[in-house]
Amino acid sequence: MISVGMCIGAFLVLIIIHWVYNWRNPRCNGKLPPGSMGWPLLGETIQFFAPNTTSDIAPFVKERMQRYGPIFKTSVVGRPVIVSTDPDLNYFIFQQEGQLFQSWYPDTFTEIFGRQNVGSLHGFMYKYLKNMVLNLFGPESLKKMISEVEEAAQTKLKRWSGQTSVEMKEATATMIFDLTAKKLISYDSENSLENLRESFVAFIQGLISFPIDIPGTAYHKCLQGRKKAMKMLKTLLHERRAKPRKEQSDFFDYVIEELQRKDTILTEAIALDLMFVLLFASFETTSLAITLAVKLLHDHPLALRELTEEHEAIIRARENPAFGLTWKEYKSMKFTFQVINETVRLANIVPAIFRKALRDINFKGHTIPAGWAVMVCPPAVHLNPDKYQDPLDFNPWRWEGVEINGASRNFMAFGGGMRFCVGTEFTKVQMAVFLHSLVTKYR
Ligand code: HEM
C-alpha cells in the first residue's frame, strides 16, 4: 500500500518537475532571448506590476536589461513575452506592422477599451477608422479648432488665477476632456445632468494594475467606470439617432450619417468603442504632458525665459496684439516644440507598446516565436545615456536642429510606423496653446 502511494507521489513530483521545466524552457525553433519565465502560471507578473515612483526606466525592465541585455524574455499574466529595449528591434517591429507583427494588447486592456477598439482592429476596418479619426484631429480640423483651444486655456487660467491652489493634472484633464467631449459628442459638462468625466477618474491606475476584477481593486473601479461611460455614450447616441440634426457639427453626427448608409462597415458597437478610446486617449495623456511641462519649466528658469520670449515675440509681430493665435503662429513656435518633445521624452506616458509575432522571427541572433507577445519599451530608448546625454535632465536645447515631426529609432513617445499616434498634432496644439496663454499672461 505504502509503495503504491510512494509511486503515485513520485509520479506526481515527476509531472510537476516536467511541467516547471517546460514552463521555464519554452519550445522554440531557434534561440530564445535570455530571461526568466518565472513561476508556472504566475510568471513574473507580481514583479512586473510592483508599483514604483521612479522617473527612470521601471526597475522591472532596468534590472533585466542589466542582467540579460536589451532583448529578454519573461512571462506576464500567463503569457510569454519578449521585451524589447533595443532601438533597432523596436523600429523593425513598427515597420513590420501587419506583416511580421500585429498590434495586440493584453485581455485586460481590451476589457477596458472594448474588444473592437481601434488598437485591436486590423486591415480594412482599421484603415477606415483611422481615416475617420484623422479627419477629426488632422491639421485641417485643428486649424479651425485653434481659437476654441485658446479660449478654453484662457478661461481656465483666469479661473485658476483666482484660486489659492490648483491640482494641475486634474484641472488640465477636465479642461481637455470638456474640449474633446464637445468636439466628439457636443457634450457640455456645465449644463449636463450626468457627469461623464467622473467615469474616467482613476482610469490610468486601473489600466496598469494587477488585473483582478474584485470590488476595491483599481482594475475593478476601471471596469465599472467603463460600464458607466459606455452606458452614457450609448444613451446619448440613441437620443441623437432618434432626432438627427440637419447640420453635421460633431463626430456623433458623422457616425449617425455613416450608420444610416446601407453599404457602411461601421457598427454602433465599433463607433462607441472608438468614442470611448478617443475620450480617454485625449485627456489622460495630454493632461499629464501639460502638467509635467509646467513643472519642468518652473524648475528651469532659463528654458522658461526662452519660451516666454518666443511667445512675446509672436504677439509683438501681430498687427493687433488682441487677435487670437493663428495656425501660422503655432507652426512658428520652434522652441516650444523643443520643450514639448523634451517633456514627452521624459514623461514616458506610454511605458509599453504591445505587439504579437505572426511568425517565427529571427533578429540579432534571437528568435521570437510565432504567437508570442512583444513589449516595446519606449522609456528604455528615451532614457538611454548613449543617445541622450544626462537622460534624466530637462534640456529642450538638445532638440535644436533635430527633425521632430515623426518617430525615429530614438524617439517613440507617440509610437511609430503605421500605428503612429493619430492624436499627436492635437496634443501639440493643446500644449503649445496652453503654454502660450500661460507665459504671455501669467507668472
Ligand atoms: C501626450 C499625448 C499622447 C501620447 C504620448 C500618445 C501616445 C500614443 C502611442 C505611443 C500610440 C501607439 C500605440 C501602438 O502603437 O500600439 C498611440 C496611438 C493612438 N493614439 Fe495617442 N498619444 C497621445 C495623445 C493622443 C490623443 C490626444 C489622441 C486622440 C485624439 C490619441 C489617440 C490615439 C489613437 C486613436 C491611437 C491608436 C492608433 C492606431 O492604432 O493606429 N492619442 N498614442
Side-chain angles (χ1 to χ4, degrees), residues 94 103 105 118-119 126 130 133 137 180 274 277-278 281-283 285-286 289 344 349-350 353-355 412-416 418-424 426-427 431:
F94 289 143
S103 173
Y105 278 84
V118 63
Y126 165 68
K130 189 171 169 175
V133 179
F137 294 111
T180 319
L274 178 65
V277 166
L278 290 178
S282 62
F283 83 90
T285 51
T286 313
V344 290
I349 292 165
V350 177
I353 298 176
F354 287 93
R355 294 290 183 268
M412 48 189 67
F414 297 101
M418 202 167 97
R419 298 240 171 207
F420 185 70
C421 174
V422 281
T424 309
F426 186 39
T427 293
M431 290 185 77

Side-chain angles (χ1 to χ4, degrees), residues 356-389:
K356 191 163 86 179
L358 297 178
R359 280 187 248 149
D360 283 353
I361 296 149
N362 293 311
F363 194 88
K364 290 190 179 173
H366 303 297
T367 305
I368 303 174
W372 277 45
V374 182
M375 186 179 112
V376 171
C377 192
V381 173
H382 296 153
L383 302 174
N384 177 355
D386 295 337
K387 297 292 169 204
Y388 296 97
Q389 202 185 0

